[in-house]
Amino acid sequence: MSDTPVIAVEGLSKVYDGGFQALKEVDLAIRRGEIFALLGPNGAGKTTLISVICGLVNASAGHVSVDGYDNVRHFREARSRIGLVPQELTSEAFSTVWDTVSFSRGLFGKPRDPVHIEKVLKSLSLWDKRRNRLITLSGGMKRRVLIAKALAHEPEILFLDEPTAGVDVELRRDMWEVVRGLRDNGVTIILTTHYIEEAEEMADRIGVIRAGELVLVEEKHELMRKLGRKELTLHLREPLTTVPERLAHHDLRLADDGHALVYTYDGRHNGDDDQAGIADLLADLEEAGIHFKDLHTRQSSLEEIFVSLVREKA
Amino acid sequence: MNLQSVKTIYLAEMARSLRTVLQSVISPVISTSLYFVVFGAAIGTRISEVDGVSYGAFIVPGLIMLMLLTQSVSNASFGIFFPRFSGSIYEILSAPISYFEIVLGFVGAAATKSVILGLIVLATASLFVPFSIAHPGIMLLFLVLTALTFSLLGFIIGIWADGFEKLQLVPLLVITPLTFLGGTFYSIDMLPPFWQAVTLINPVVYLVSGFRWSFYGMGDVSIWASLAMIMLFLGICLVVVNVIFRSGYRLKP
C-alpha cells in the first residue's frame, strides 16, 4: 500500500493557447506521507503542474491519478483528497475568517464541523481573528487563512504553492511547524518554493523543474551527498600572489586577495580519497613553507546545487 | 450529486446578498415605487384604460418583469464574476463538484433572490394600485422560469466579462432597451403596424405578455407562445452554459 504513489503523473504535457509549452512529458510519483519540494526558476512550470493535478488547468496530454483515481474521470474522489494553497493571495474580501474557512469545508462536501474548524484556526493562530473580515487582515494573516481553507476539509494531500513568498520569518517558522505536524499525521505535502533553505530544511525529496521538464527527482540527502561539493578554506599568514608550482596538482584557487587558499573536493565519496587528499595537501603546504592561521570546511548548500543544475542544463 | 457543496455555494451566495441587503432589496423597491409615481400617477392619470385594465394596474406585470430581468442578470453575473476577478474561484474549480452543481448553486441563489424581489415589488405595487391575479400558479411559474433563465444569462455574462465594463454592458445595452421596448409600459397594439411586427422579434415581449396574461387573462401574444419562448430561452442558456464548461472557456486554460 505504501509503495503505490499517492500521486502518479504520467507523460503530462501542457501547451497553453498561445502556444507556450509549460510542461513537457512530466513523469512524477509522489510517495504517501512525504514532503516533496518542487524547485525551479520563475516560469518553469511549477504552478502549471500543480494546477493540472488539482484540476484548475486541463492537460494537453498525459494522466494524473490521485490515490489511484484518475483526476479527470474520477475527479470527485481525486479532488476530495487534495487541499490547495494557491500562490496568489485571493479571498472573498468581505466575508469573515470563520465563514470563509467553513465555506471551504462545505464546498468540498464535508458536513459542518465547528470543532475541526476551531482546531485549524487555532493551529494557525487565527482563532482571535475569526470574526474579522478578510479585507482587514495583513498579507501574512491572509496567507494563514488560505492554508486554513485548504485544511478545512481534512485533505490527505496538501499542495503549497510558494507558501512563504513575502512572509515574515515568524510566520514562516509557524508554517513549517504546521506542515511538520501535518506530515506527522500522515498528510502528504507538495510544496513549491523559491527559498531553497525551505526545501533544505523541510523536504524529504526534491524535484527540480526547468522549462517544463522535470530535470531531477532525488532524496534530499542523496542529492546533497551526490552533488554537494566540499570546500576547505585555509586562511594564510602571508598572502600569496599565485598558487605555488608544487601545489598545482591540488584543486586550489586563491581567494581574499591571496589571503586564503580554497581547496575544493568532492563530497561524494565521504571517504578515503579526499581525506588522503587533505592530508597530502597539508603535508605539501608544510613542505612549501606556507603557514595558515585558520581553516574551515563547508558543504555546498542546496541553493548552490540548484543554481548549478539550472545553469548546467540551460 | 454533491448536495452539500451545492448547498454551501447557494447559502454563501444568499449570505452575500444579505450583507448587501440595502442594494439588493431596497433599491429595486425604491426604483419600482418611482416608476409608479411617474408612470402610474403622473402619466397614468392621463391615459385611460388599456384593454379594460386601469393603466396603473396594467404596468404592474411589466414593472415586475423589468426588475426581474435586470436583477437576475446583475445578481448572477456578479456572483460568478467576483470570484473570477478576485481569484478565489480556484477553490470552486478545484473542489469535488461538477459543473452542473456549480451552476445550480450560483444560478439557484440568483434566481431565488430575483423571485423574492419580484414578490417584494408585487407587494409594493399593491400599495399603489388595486389589481388582481387571475392565474397565480401561472404567474409564479413565469416568475420562476424567467428568474432562472435570466440568471443563467447573467451567469454566462459573468463568465464572458473580463472587466467591470463588460459586466455592465449587456444589462445596459441589451436588457434594459429590450425590456422598455417589450411592452412593459404599453400594449404593443398601441404601436404602428410596422413596429408591432418588429416588436415580435423582441423576446421580452413574450415574457411580459405571458406574465400579464397571468394577471389579467390577456396579453399581446398567446400564453402558449409566451411559454414556448421562455422554454426556448432557458434551453439556449443551458446549452451555452454547457458549452462554456465543456470547453473550459475563461475558466480553465
Side-chain angles (χ1 to χ4, degrees), chain A residues 99-282:
Chain A
D99 286 347
T100 194
V101 176
S102 301
F103 172 82
S104 302
R105 185 176 172 85
L107 189 63
F108 276 70
K110 289 273 173 95
R112 281 170 53 83
D113 185 353
V115 177
H116 176 70
I117 304 289
E118 179 176 342
K119 199 181 86 188
V120 168
L121 292 184
K122 281 183 172 161
S123 73
L124 287 157
S125 313
L126 282 168
W127 184 243
D128 296 341
K129 306 266 182 194
R130 65 190 180 280
R131 293 199 189 87
N132 288 33
R133 286 170 162 218
L134 296 177
I135 200 169
T136 64
L137 299 181
S138 67
M141 280 294 164
K142 281 189 188 139
R143 180 73 66 188
R144 287 173 199 249
V145 172
L146 290 182
I147 297 176
K149 279 167 80 69
L151 295 176
H153 68 281
E154 301 161 72
E156 294 166 32
I157 303 158
L158 181 66
F159 282 92
L160 295 156
D161 197 357
E162 311 241 346
T164 49
V167 148
D168 64 27
V169 180
E170 189 192 354
L171 176 51
R172 209 185 299 175
R173 214 170 290 141
D174 280 6
M175 234 180 252
W176 292 356
E177 210 51 57
V178 170
V179 167
R180 280 200 198 94
L182 288 169
R183 205 256 309 258
D184 293 344
N185 286 324
V187 176
T188 307
I189 290 145
I190 296 104
L191 58 93
T192 71
T193 181
H194 274 140
Y195 298 103
I196 310 227
E197 53 173 294
E198 201 160 85
E200 198 167 340
E201 176 156 349
M202 302 286 298
D204 300 311
R205 284 200 306 153
I206 285 167
V208 176
I209 190 167
R210 197 191 62 81
E213 286 175 282
L214 207 52
V215 194
L216 156 151
V217 175
E218 194 83 72
E219 298 279 345
K220 180 182 67 185
H221 297 297
E222 188 67 14
L223 179 66
M224 297 192 57
R225 200 172 62 79
K226 261 194 190 153
L227 298 174
R229 309 277 297 166
K230 281 194 157 182
E231 275 181 5
L232 169 68
T233 306
L234 299 161
H235 299 278
L236 306 175
R237 274 187 210 282
E238 310 284 328
L240 293 173
T241 46
T242 52
V243 177
E245 193 61 37
R246 62 188 308 166
L247 297 175
H249 66 283
H250 296 287
D251 186 3
L252 283 176
R253 65 186 163 83
L254 281 172
D256 194 15
D257 285 335
H259 285 88
L261 259 181
V262 180
Y263 173 57
T264 312
Y265 58 104
D266 215 325
R268 196 177 312 211
H269 330 273
N270 269 345
D272 320 329
D273 296 0
D274 292 307
Q275 267 159 23
I278 291 175
D280 285 350
L281 173 67
L282 293 181

Side-chain angles (χ1 to χ4, degrees), chain A residues 14 16 54-58 75-77 79-80 82 84-86 89-96 99-100 102-112 133 146 149-150, chain B residues 1-2 4-10 12-13 15-16 19 79 82-83 86-99 101-102 106 245-248 251-253:
Chain A
K14 175 64 191 175
Y16 282 106
C54 293
L56 296 176
V57 169
N58 292 318
F75 69 92
R76 286 184 204 271
E77 288 83 356
R79 291 189 200 164
S80 62
I82 295 177
L84 167 65
V85 181
L89 287 177
T90 61
S91 57
E92 283 272 0
F94 301 109
S95 64
T96 64
D99 286 347
T100 194
S102 301
F103 172 82
S104 302
R105 185 176 172 85
L107 189 63
F108 276 70
K110 289 273 173 95
R112 281 170 53 83
R133 286 170 162 218
L146 290 182
K149 279 167 80 69
Chain B
M1 183 76 134
N2 191 341
Q4 181 73 37
S5 307
V6 175
K7 194 177 109 190
T8 303
I9 295 178
Y10 181 87
E13 279 300 292
R16 189 169 58 81
R19 278 201 301 269
F82 188 69
S86 75
S88 59
I89 192 148
Y90 81 88
E91 196 176 24
I92 290 159
L93 294 176
S94 67
I97 47 176
S98 68
Y99 298 139
E101 288 156 4
I102 296 176
F106 276 102
F245 276 119
R246 295 236 171 269
S247 65
L251 288 174
K252 244 179 153 180

